[in-house]
Amino acid sequence: MHNFQAQDHFAAGAQYIAGRLTEGTSGRTHAVVDPATGDEVHRYELAGEKDVDTAVAAAAHAFPGWAGATPGERSDAMHRFAGVLAERAEEFAQAESLQCGKPIKLSREFDVPGSVDNAAFFAGAARHLQGQSAGEYSGDHTSYVRREPIGVVGSIAPWNYPLQMAAWKVLPAIAAGNTIVLKPAELTPFTSLLFARAATDAGIPDGVVNVISGAGRDAGERLVGHPDVAMTSFTGSTAVGKRVAEIATSTVKRLHLELGGKAPFVVFDDADLEAAVHGAVAGALINTGQDCTAATRAYVQRPLYDAFVEGVAELMESVRLGDPFAEDTDLGPLISHVHRDRVAGFVERARSYARVVTGGEALDHPGAFYRPTLIADAAQDSEIVQAEIFGPVLVVLPFDADDEGIRLANDTPYGLAASAWSRDVFRANRATREIKAGCVWVNDHIPILSEMPHGGYKASGYGKDMSAYSFDEYTQVKHVMFDNTAVVRKDWHRTIFGDR
């Protein structure tokens, strides 16, 4: 059971603008549904274009003061922010599990502490916006580099990790001195709103962090195309990312895209089989498979293939589905019945060309539950191998030579994450070099760190979340150059006029 009541928190509305909650003005409402029961838990007024304009204006108004604060002042405020988040950890965990259907142990032990840690990391990073050392690179001038905030950032986050995505979008942006308008998915606004309120309660000025809860085609497109938004950061599907890029191009915005994935899980024949089996089940089923870095394609060298299939199927069958608020629940529902049916459609179509080893069915339950599913004997070019399913589905294929395993791992449009499993350092090192992905784990799959960057290759987008590298996304780099000679007529002027 949980004691989080949305109405107690969001009675004033689900838009957070200039430090307070307000109602949306679109004239349309949206119901937040608990995917574990199918019950409506809150209904709110969606944001319209007017609300986006108001939020952007609030962020623009707050920008000069926040950008002009010293790095130490921003850092102090963000340390307080991390403290408020930590104090409210249980509230965040319950809200996240209620709106997403996550098992409470995942919310408590992964989503919430990870977000608190992000806040603490960026509180420190705010004081380390460094550029190239000052120097006389031409001989006659002193040059140095300034790192300056960009302005108002308009970010769009997905529904699979609402709290962590709010953190990944908001924290580097404000640490660098920007202000932000965040649009969470309309399915899952709760923790983004709680996050923004925690920022205010920590003393971050009104208007620095704003949240717009609205639909993508209305609020999202207005935010991305807004002339006063200097940068857009988007996390979501590759298809929607292309649309975001098209809109952002019209106003020449800075653009950061973290898009889809189809992560390979490459098991060489010298791997620790038991570790690989456990890693595959954990990596495939995290967040019910609704994770763009989830293990989705296991390539297993032929000597281990049959034992791997048997081991994964057996372990998947032991996973406990049920009430997300029960302490012993391992796997929650998918985000909605619509999405569950989409996932089921992929599996049903695969039955005509592949073997469903275990799972492959929805539960007879009011919630949007789907059993952990293992599929074998699919062709590399089949839909189940190539398309992002975003559910608790792992497909396993054999390979023979190492060259083949790496080639197959790279054979999708995506390149977000991957893992290689081997006890041979040379084999593993080769895999990390040759697999085209933004993150390659060795003998593990999924862990992320605030200190390390997250972002993809190819159709998985570009730019980095987390880490000091994210400041490359959220700052302008300015070269400043001083003449040191006090000479009126420089030697280079003769290339324009006159003689030496």
Side-chain angles (χ1 to χ4, degrees):
M1 291 295 292
H2 65 89
N3 56 24
F4 183 86
Q5 300 298 320
Q7 188 60 27
D8 294 344
H9 293 272
F10 311 121
Q15 319 304 325
Y16 196 84
I17 302 173
R20 66 186 185 95
L21 287 167
T22 64
E23 292 279 8
T25 62
S26 69
R28 294 183 295 115
T29 62
H30 183 83
V32 177
V33 173
D34 176 356
T37 63
D39 295 338
E40 179 178 320
V41 295
H42 187 62
R43 182 173 290 271
Y44 68 93
E45 189 89 8
L46 287 163
E49 292 188 356
K50 178 184 174 184
D51 304 303
V52 175
D53 293 347
T54 303
V56 171
H61 179 75
F63 175 71
W66 185 246
T70 67
E73 289 168 339
R74 289 199 293 268
S75 177
D76 287 348
M78 293 183 69
H79 276 298
R80 294 193 300 271
F81 187 16
V84 173
L85 295 174
E87 289 169 4
R88 300 176 185 177
E90 181 61 17
E91 179 179 84
F92 276 101
Q94 291 198 19
E96 196 78 331
S97 286
L98 179 63
Q99 66 182 355
C100 299
K102 293 176 190 284
I104 192 67
K105 66 179 180 179
L106 182 66
S107 293
R108 284 176 179 156
E109 298 177 33
F110 184 74
D111 298 65
V112 174
S115 300
V116 174
D117 187 70
N118 282 171
F121 172 82
F122 281 109
R127 303 183 86 143
H128 295 280
L129 282 172
Q130 297 170 345
Q132 190 172 0
S133 297
E136 288 67 52
Y137 297 97
S138 77
D140 291 337
H141 306 81
T142 296
S143 288
Y144 65 87
V145 170
R146 291 176 57 88
R147 302 290 293 275
E148 298 180 348
I150 295 171
V152 177
V153 178
S155 292
I156 298 177
W159 46 257
N160 57 336
Y161 290 103
L163 175 59
Q164 286 197 317
M165 293 300 99
W168 289 15
K169 299 302 184 194
V170 170
L171 296 169
I174 67 172
N178 303 284
T179 56
I180 189 166
V181 179
L182 173 70
K183 192 199 88 65
E186 61 269 35
L187 294 172
T188 53
F190 293 167
T191 46
S192 296
L193 294 164
L194 295 176
F195 192 78
R197 184 156 61 196
T200 299
D201 292 346
I204 292 175
D206 293 350
V208 172
V209 180
N210 307 275
V211 174
I212 291 296
S213 305
R217 290 194 177 277
D218 302 324
E221 295 202 1
R222 178 66 173 177
L223 182 61
V224 173
H226 200 290
D228 294 333
V229 170
M231 173 185 169
T232 289
S233 177
F234 170 81
T235 297
S237 71
T238 297
V240 177
K242 291 177 181 178
R243 174 63 179 155
V244 169
E246 289 172 359
I247 298 170
T249 299
S250 65
T251 51
V252 198
K253 288 179 176 17
R254 177 79 64 91
L255 185 59
H256 167 219
L257 298 173
E258 199 266 88
L259 307 177
K262 189 72 177 177
F265 186 101
V266 183
V267 182
F268 294 99
D269 58 15
D270 69 321
D272 181 325
L273 177 62
E274 186 178 8
V277 166
H278 282 79
V281 173
L285 300 185
I286 185 171
N287 203 34
T288 319
Q290 299 167 129
D291 185 314
C292 48
T293 64
T296 58
R297 299 178 290 138
Y299 296 100
V300 182
Q301 209 150 24
R302 208 168 292 273
L304 296 185
Y305 180 76
D306 290 340
F308 180 88
V309 171
E310 181 181 346
V312 168
E314 183 179 349
L315 194 53
M316 278 188 169
E317 288 165 6
S318 73
V319 170
R320 299 163 297 186
L321 283 69
D323 176 7
F325 289 93
E327 301 284 345
D328 61 353
T329 292
D330 297 321
L331 198 73
L334 292 159
I335 189 64
S336 68
H337 289 82
V338 169
H339 186 57
R340 184 195 65 185
D341 293 346
R342 178 183 177 275
V343 170
F346 279 106
V347 176
E348 291 310 306
R349 291 189 295 275
R351 291 183 190 278
S352 66
Y353 58 79
R355 174 168 60 100
V356 177
V357 181
T358 189
E361 62 182 7
L363 292 190
D364 182 14
H365 187 281
F369 290 90
Y370 195 80
R371 292 193 185 281
T373 300
L374 180 66
I375 294 176
D377 304 334
Q380 173 67 14
D381 62 356
S382 62
E383 179 190 54
I384 204 78
V385 174
Q386 293 292 325
E388 186 175 32
I389 299 167
F390 227 57
V393 179
L394 176 66
V395 58
V396 58
L397 299 87
F399 70 93
D400 292 303
D402 289 15
D403 289 354
E404 181 189 11
I406 292 173
R407 178 181 62 78
L408 292 171
N410 285 329
D411 183 29
T412 69
Y414 300 107
L416 187 59
S419 63
W421 296 73
S422 173
R423 285 182 273 207
D424 183 322
V425 66
F426 298 102
R427 227 174 188 181
N429 200 22
R430 179 193 176 189
T432 65
R433 291 194 311 272
E434 296 186 12
I435 293 176
K436 304 304 180 188
C439 174
V440 181
W441 293 282
V442 176
N443 295 326
D444 207 344
H445 193 109
I446 284 299
I448 54 175
L449 298 165
S450 297
E451 292 86 353
M452 290 292 114
H454 176 89
Y457 285 30
K458 303 189 293 184
S460 292
Y462 47 81
K464 300 299 178 186
D465 288 310
M466 300 193 296
S467 82
Y469 291 97
S470 64
F471 283 130
D472 292 341
E473 315 300 321
Y474 293 100
T475 58
Q476 295 279 17
V477 175
K478 177 187 287 184
H479 170 216
V480 178
M481 193 177 205
F482 281 84
D483 170 57
N484 292 332
T485 66
V487 172
V488 173
R489 187 168 180 183
K490 310 287 194 290
D491 186 55
W492 71 268
H493 290 180
R494 68 184 177 81
T495 63
I496 313 302
F497 63 92
D499 301 317
R500 187 184 292 275

